[in-house]
Amino acid sequence: FEGTTNMWEACTQKMLSQDSKKSKPQKIAVFIGDKAAGKTSLIQVFLNQTGKKEISPSAPLEYYHGKKTSISGASKEVSHIYEVGGGKAFYELIKIPISDEKLQQSII
């Protein structure tokens, strides 16, 4: 967007524009934390996957998705879930789930 000074202003302008009212925003959750902080456990609870007993160490960046059907069954909601660990690659990996393009299409 012309005239914006940062990505937050661009997102605000996009959400207020008429085009964004026609399209449905994506639902994105990003879980960030150090190794063994419990990110995967939180995601499993969020996705109702608490029956899994053993959790293996995650990769530096993990992607999950959740699907939910409305009570009437007329629509399906999809949420995109990213798990980002700490470490040397953090600053490069965080750009994958949190980019200008995704922020313009997302609920934050």
Side-chain angles (χ1 to χ4, degrees):
F1 288 98
E2 286 187 42
T4 59
T5 57
N6 61 47
M7 69 178 162
W8 298 110
E9 276 187 30
C11 292
T12 303
Q13 287 181 11
K14 176 75 173 176
M15 292 305 292
L16 295 175
S17 72
Q18 195 159 353
D19 292 337
S20 67
K21 294 176 185 174
K22 294 177 185 175
S23 64
K24 200 172 193 180
Q26 295 183 39
K27 291 162 180 70
I28 297 174
V30 180
F31 291 80
I32 302 170
D34 287 332
K35 182 179 180 180
K39 300 176 300 293
T40 303
S41 298
L42 283 172
I43 292 169
Q44 285 183 350
V45 170
F46 181 75
L47 295 173
N48 292 323
Q49 297 178 350
T50 54
K52 295 182 179 178
K53 298 286 182 195
E54 189 175 320
I55 297 173
S56 58
S58 301
L61 177 66
E62 295 274 350
Y63 170 79
Y64 307 86
H65 71 278
K67 294 180 185 178
K68 180 181 175 185
T69 304
S70 65
I71 294 172
S72 66
S75 66
K76 291 182 182 179
E77 298 287 331
V78 176
S79 58
H80 304 279
I81 303 156
Y82 294 89
E83 177 181 347
V84 183
K88 296 177 184 177
F90 172 77
Y91 292 105
E92 290 302 315
L93 293 174
I94 197 66
K95 295 175 186 176
I96 295 169
I98 302 178
S99 65
D100 290 345
E101 182 180 318
K102 286 183 182 168
L103 284 174
Q104 291 177 18
Q105 303 169 7
S106 304
I107 296 174
I108 301 172

